[in-house]
Amino acid sequence: MVYPSIIIGASAAGISSAIYLKRRGINFLIIGKDIGGEMALSGKVDNYPGIPETTGIELTKKFKEHLDKYGVEIILDEVKELKKIENFYEITTVKDKYHSYSLIIATGSKPKKLGIKGEDEFYHKGVSYCSVCDMPLFKDKKVAIIGGGNSALEAGLMASDICEYAYVITKNPYMKGDKILIEELNKKKNVRIIYNALTQEIIGDNFVKGIRYLNLENNTIEELYIDGVFIHIGMKPNSEFIPDEWNIKNSFGEIVVNKLCETSMPGIFAAGDVTDIPYKQIGVAVGQGIIAALSLIKYLNQNLISK
């Protein structure tokens, strides 16, 4: 069977697209490695319109409830490869193959790695990329948070409520996140921000014991003895399964889209953090997901593809 459309990704952008396609009577599938993606791993969410205060987990539940209202089922599977076959696309997942005349790619992004000694060795042994998931495991312990943006600031605030002490370490001479978060973190007595510090190594035995960093002000190596390391240095798009020869990705791996969320491949649309849109926010992903769905509907109508 060849579906009119398939949505790849089941977080903010993909779920928004699915709601709009379902309301317009489109026959489609939505395939996602998980439900919520990075949205589900967000901490406090205070900037989503209409919901003054929530968490990523709670917002994901609301999105899923909206899908359930329309009877949309998510196929939990991971897409490994895409191919163009005549006038349709073949989607190969870990478990199966699917075919569709059009696609909305909304696979989001994943955390970047530092690429330093000890990072892989101590993953799940004190090293984490998800403060929401793992910070409660470090109650009354000391942790280091590496990063210079909002994610690191949010992790620092979470640590201030859970941990004995937290170090927020950035290679920059200042934090780059929202002013309100910086001001809030600076009020915490059990948090210290270390500027101009380039993390070199994560050390330990069976579990993390500390980190070494280069003090960029005096070019000396310094150590901190802590129990856990949370890495928040940015994200990279989940776009590896897209063939390079399609030429729809930029040098960062982001899918290049226009204002209608169209790519240069016919029938392929993209939305959310996997795209080259500069602002990676839940609200932005939702808006792009809606645009992609409406653009796809227009594409199906223009190409006389049955709903």
Side-chain angles (χ1 to χ4, degrees):
M1 176 180 179
V2 181
Y3 288 88
S5 182
I6 288 178
I7 300 169
I8 304 173
S11 187
I15 291 174
S16 299
S17 293
I19 290 168
Y20 270 69
L21 293 189
K22 186 66 175 181
R23 285 172 58 87
R24 293 291 289 268
I26 306 297
N27 184 18
F28 70 95
L29 295 179
I30 177 169
I31 303 170
K33 182 180 179 181
D34 52 36
I35 300 173
E38 289 300 313
M39 174 172 68
L41 303 180
S42 300
K44 287 176 63 178
V45 178
D46 292 341
N47 58 359
Y48 193 80
I51 306 177
E53 184 175 341
T54 186
T55 66
I57 292 173
E58 289 301 316
L59 195 56
T60 298
K61 288 179 180 177
K62 291 291 186 183
F63 276 55
K64 181 60 167 57
E65 287 171 6
H66 204 154
L67 275 187
D68 291 343
K69 173 186 175 181
Y70 292 115
V72 177
E73 180 183 356
I74 298 173
I75 297 172
L76 291 177
D77 202 349
E78 183 179 1
V79 173
K80 306 299 290 186
E81 185 180 22
L82 294 181
K83 287 183 180 178
K84 181 80 164 65
I85 301 176
E86 297 178 349
N87 64 334
F88 62 86
Y89 295 98
E90 181 177 84
I91 302 95
T92 301
T93 68
V94 172
K95 302 174 184 177
D96 214 335
K97 287 183 186 288
Y98 304 92
H99 299 94
S100 177
Y101 291 112
S102 64
L103 300 173
I104 293 177
I105 302 173
T107 43
S109 58
K110 57 178 170 287
K112 289 181 180 177
K113 289 187 174 184
L114 288 166
I116 61 172
K117 185 177 179 181
E119 183 175 10
D120 292 336
E121 179 184 352
F122 293 109
Y123 181 52
H124 286 324
K125 297 177 182 179
V127 171
S128 174
Y129 302 89
C130 179
S131 297
V132 174
C133 313
D134 298 328
M135 191 73 76
L137 301 175
F138 294 86
K139 182 175 173 60
D140 298 327
K141 295 185 178 182
K142 295 179 180 179
V143 300
I145 297 152
I146 302 170
N150 280 345
S151 295
L153 290 166
E154 289 169 357
L157 290 170
M158 185 183 301
S160 72
D161 293 330
I162 296 172
C163 304
E164 177 189 343
Y165 203 86
Y167 301 92
V168 178
I169 301 169
T170 175
K171 64 183 181 181
N172 303 310
Y174 56 88
M175 296 298 288
K176 295 183 177 181
D178 292 344
K179 182 180 178 182
I180 189 171
L181 295 178
I182 297 170
E183 290 175 348
E184 192 173 348
L185 191 64
N186 280 326
K187 295 176 184 177
K188 303 296 183 181
K189 295 182 179 180
N190 62 337
V191 177
R192 175 189 168 198
I193 302 176
I194 303 177
Y195 301 99
N196 298 302
L198 183 62
T199 307
Q200 301 282 292
E201 182 181 356
I202 299 169
I203 56 178
D205 39 45
N206 295 324
F207 208 80
V208 167
K209 297 295 183 183
I211 63 167
R212 293 191 179 102
Y213 67 88
L214 174 65
N215 184 325
L216 298 174
E217 292 183 340
N218 57 26
N219 205 35
T220 60
I221 296 293
E222 301 187 22
E223 291 187 357
L224 286 176
Y225 294 97
I226 40 86
D227 304 292
V229 180
F230 291 86
I231 300 169
H232 293 288
I233 58 169
M235 310 295 290
K236 62 182 295 187
N238 294 313
S239 62
E240 297 91 343
F241 60 91
I242 300 171
D244 291 337
E245 58 267 27
W246 285 5
N247 293 318
I248 64 172
K249 297 184 287 185
N250 62 19
S251 60
F252 301 105
E254 299 168 323
I255 302 174
V256 179
V257 294
N258 62 16
K259 63 183 180 182
L260 297 177
C261 291
E262 298 169 321
T263 72
S264 57
M265 288 287 286
I268 295 187
F269 306 82
D273 287 6
V274 75
T275 73
D276 63 340
I277 192 166
Y279 305 111
K280 314 297 187 183
Q281 299 285 313
I282 296 171
V284 174
V286 168
Q288 273 203 308
I290 293 168
I291 292 170
L294 295 175
S295 295
L296 183 143
I297 292 166
K298 182 179 179 181
Y299 172 83
L300 295 180
N301 289 336
Q302 288 177 340
N303 289 274
L304 301 177
I305 296 173
S306 174
K307 296 179 181 180

